[in-house]
Amino acid sequence: MASNIACDQAYGVRPSRPIRERKPFDSSDPLARPWSELPDELLEIIASYLGLIELISFRAVCQDWRFASWKATAEIGSSKPWFLAIIDKSDCLLVDESNKRYNVTIPELCEATCIGSNYGWLLLLKESSTFFFCPFSRAKIELPQLPCSETFEPVAAFSSAPTCKDCIVCVISNSVDAGNSVEIHTLQRGASSWTTHKFNGDRTRTFNGAFYQDYSFYFFYGVDFVVKFSVGDKKSTLFKVVKPTSNGPKLPVLPCALMTDSCKVGIESQFENASISTCGTVLVRDSQKYVICNQKINTDANRKMKAVWTHPRFFELSPEQSCW
């Protein structure tokens, strides 16, 4: 049975400081104080030690507690990504790392397509809009419109959280033009338009995962190829992924590990009657970077659903952060 949670209704904007109304408190203990008298500094410390579900509940207590927790990000919580499935329009099902289920309503995800997920942020395409979105605080950062078609299944990665001043977004997709060209679109924070680069590719392959490492973006291309795009010289290189051998030549090592079927454990059984298209993410465990690729789960089912792997984080934005 799934529990119900209510995502933040303030759209991720830092709240104004409330004016506290001190209410009479009657107690026979002269040292007793009401919860409403807790200082903001203590509330802020408490909030910083809460996971996502506890933080959402904490913020729902009152306006004072919500204000005191605006810096809390739930980063103390799970290091593993959670599974967020769009069941019907804005009705979603959230599955945590222990397979506990939560019902949640997120209107922004209705008719949206997620092309990238990391750091607790989703990169979404919706109609003519392109924007970063934190699904649990509903914080939103609008970007310039991406110059590519959704029908060619773009895949994105970003160098850091979109609130960072040095954030770079990179999106790759098969070109809408005739031929086998592939388009790479890049956008630096503060820029008003995307920069487009093209190279020859193979339309029979699709992009199904991405990550950033050392000033380069890596995109998994089909089953056994990787496209590397260097931010510095704007060059793209196609690599074939091979298994190392003891007597073979020394080859470059891919700076990540790939997670595929292991991510389906527990998900296939919970959504037996639905065919799910997932957007993957990146996680770091014991200093090792792992990529969860985009996948198709239960492909034989008639009901079609979208889902995303996302880190359970919570962000509120200052006015400066909410503008790209």
Side-chain angles (χ1 to χ4, degrees), residues 23-38:
K23 297 182 179 180
F25 181 70
D26 184 17
S27 174
S28 58
D29 184 354
L31 298 179
R33 302 289 296 275
W35 284 100
S36 60
E37 296 291 339
L38 284 174

Side-chain angles (χ1 to χ4, degrees), residues 146-150 152-156 169-186 194-203 207 219 221 227 229 236:
L146 182 67
C148 73
S149 171
E150 288 187 52
F152 285 86
E153 299 182 347
V155 170
V169 186
C170 189
V171 181
I172 196 167
S173 67
N174 288 314
S175 174
V176 297
D177 299 331
N180 288 323
S181 64
V182 169
E183 291 183 347
I184 295 178
H185 310 278
T186 58
W194 296 80
T195 301
T196 300
H197 314 269
K198 291 188 177 183
F199 69 95
N200 292 328
D202 184 350
R203 276 188 155 183
F207 295 98
F219 299 92
Y221 193 30
V227 174
F229 179 76
S236 58

Side-chain angles (χ1 to χ4, degrees), residues 286-303:
D286 298 328
S287 300
Q288 173 66 56
K289 182 173 290 187
Y290 296 87
V291 176
I292 300 177
C293 281
N294 303 352
Q295 292 179 306
K296 307 288 186 182
I297 301 177
N298 298 333
T299 55
D300 295 333
N302 293 326
R303 185 183 179 191

Side-chain angles (χ1 to χ4, degrees), residues 207-236:
F207 295 98
N208 52 23
F211 69 98
Y212 173 85
Q213 181 76 29
D214 296 333
Y215 303 102
S216 294
F217 289 93
Y218 296 80
F219 299 92
F220 290 96
Y221 193 30
V223 178
D224 52 4
F225 286 90
V226 169
V227 174
K228 176 183 177 182
F229 179 76
S230 173
V231 174
D233 58 18
K234 307 295 188 287
K235 291 184 179 180
S236 58

Side-chain angles (χ1 to χ4, degrees), residues 8-14 66 107-108 133 137-140 315-317 322:
D8 205 274
Q9 298 298 312
Y11 302 97
V13 179
R14 179 183 175 182
R66 179 173 172 267
E108 290 83 355
F133 182 65
S137 70
R138 298 175 68 183
K140 188 176 181 181
F315 302 105
E316 283 192 314
L317 304 179
S322 60

Side-chain angles (χ1 to χ4, degrees), residues 99-211:
N99 283 333
K100 186 173 181 180
R101 297 150 64 101
Y102 303 89
N103 294 317
V104 58
T105 300
I106 309 177
E108 290 83 355
L109 294 184
C110 180
E111 303 298 331
T113 298
C114 183
I115 62 173
S117 172
N118 204 357
Y119 308 106
W121 290 92
L122 310 181
L123 182 57
L124 300 179
L125 302 180
K126 186 173 181 178
E127 298 175 344
S128 59
S129 296
T130 306
F131 57 95
F132 278 110
F133 182 65
C134 176
F136 308 114
S137 70
R138 298 175 68 183
K140 188 176 181 181
I141 304 175
E142 291 280 359
L143 303 183
Q145 183 177 352
L146 182 67
C148 73
S149 171
E150 288 187 52
T151 58
F152 285 86
E153 299 182 347
V155 170
F158 27 107
S159 61
S160 57
T163 51
C164 297
K165 293 182 179 180
D166 60 352
C167 178
I168 304 172
V169 186
C170 189
V171 181
I172 196 167
S173 67
N174 288 314
S175 174
V176 297
D177 299 331
N180 288 323
S181 64
V182 169
E183 291 183 347
I184 295 178
H185 310 278
T186 58
L187 182 72
Q188 291 187 318
R189 184 167 176 86
S192 58
S193 61
W194 296 80
T195 301
T196 300
H197 314 269
K198 291 188 177 183
F199 69 95
N200 292 328
D202 184 350
R203 276 188 155 183
T204 63
R205 300 190 183 101
T206 57
F207 295 98
N208 52 23
F211 69 98

